[in-house]
Amino acid sequence: MKISVISDTHDNIWKLDEAIPYIQKTDCVLHCGDLISPFMVSRLAQGVGELPIHMVWGNNEGDRLAISKVADQFEHFALHGEIAHLVIDELRIAINHYPEIALDIAKNKQYDLVCYGHNHIAKEESLDTTLLLNPGELMGLKGKSTFVIFDTETKVVEWIEL
């Protein structure tokens, strides 16, 4: 199974649209927060078809109530609050927005994959049996728009730069 991991889209519809063809070839989407506006929810949900989307709150979400209402219109879009705890293809996965929290979660060795965002810095790090992963920023504020495709079978991370 292949999982798209994205973060910090910050309303950049152009980069999201550019990423959609890659994401459509995967089986699931994890969003590590800072999607920002309700219109981005529908753009992502419609763009990926019926792929399951799991998202956590970032620190810059504009109108959380409106984002929640739009997300509720899509059965395949799940908002998990501050932290998501998932099992996908028998892998234990945690998602949150903040690097410090992700590091603490990864250190407890209860998860195979821990994903985060916030600092816009793409990073892949192994802590014992846990992969700690920041897909970088889709928005491109720091010059690079990146996200990853994670293969649950091979545990290989494919970096995509737009």
Side-chain angles (χ1 to χ4, degrees):
M1 175 179 256
K2 293 191 177 186
I3 300 173
S4 295
V5 183
I6 63 176
S7 189
D8 297 281
T9 48
H10 287 274
D11 284 350
N12 191 327
I13 59 173
W14 303 276
K15 289 298 182 179
L16 179 61
D17 288 350
E18 197 176 336
I20 292 291
Y22 295 95
I23 295 170
Q24 288 173 335
K25 296 176 185 172
T26 66
D27 303 293
C28 179
V29 182
L30 308 181
H31 195 301
C32 303
D34 280 359
L35 181 97
I36 307 300
S37 297
F39 69 82
M40 289 291 282
V41 172
S42 55
R43 194 167 197 108
L44 175 60
Q46 291 168 352
V48 302
E50 295 300 315
L51 292 181
I53 302 166
H54 299 277
M55 184 183 135
V56 295
W57 294 124
N59 62 304
N60 285 308
E61 309 308 347
D63 185 340
R64 287 186 177 194
L65 179 59
I67 289 170
S68 298
K69 286 181 178 180
V70 173
D72 284 346
Q73 296 172 18
F74 299 96
E75 289 183 23
H76 63 289
F77 201 113
L79 289 172
H80 293 273
E82 303 296 327
I83 298 176
H85 306 276
L86 309 168
V87 176
I88 298 174
D89 203 16
E90 299 182 20
L91 289 179
R92 297 161 300 157
I93 300 171
I95 315 164
N96 91 105
H97 187 62
Y98 299 99
E100 302 83 11
I101 295 171
L103 181 59
D104 285 345
I105 292 170
K107 283 180 180 176
N108 77 25
K109 302 177 188 176
Q110 292 180 349
Y111 295 92
D112 303 296
L113 175 64
V114 177
C115 303
Y116 67 99
H118 185 61
N119 63 11
H120 299 229
I121 299 170
K123 187 173 183 179
E124 176 183 351
E125 178 182 3
S126 290
L127 298 174
D128 293 316
T129 60
T130 302
L131 178 62
L132 185 59
L133 187 60
N134 182 338
E137 58 174 355
L138 198 59
M139 77 175 294
L141 177 68
K142 295 186 177 184
K144 287 186 178 182
S145 294
T146 61
F147 69 100
V148 302
I149 297 174
F150 177 74
D151 188 315
T152 61
E153 188 176 314
T154 64
K155 314 292 187 289
V156 170
V157 176
E158 177 186 359
W159 289 90
I160 309 292
E161 184 176 342
L162 304 174

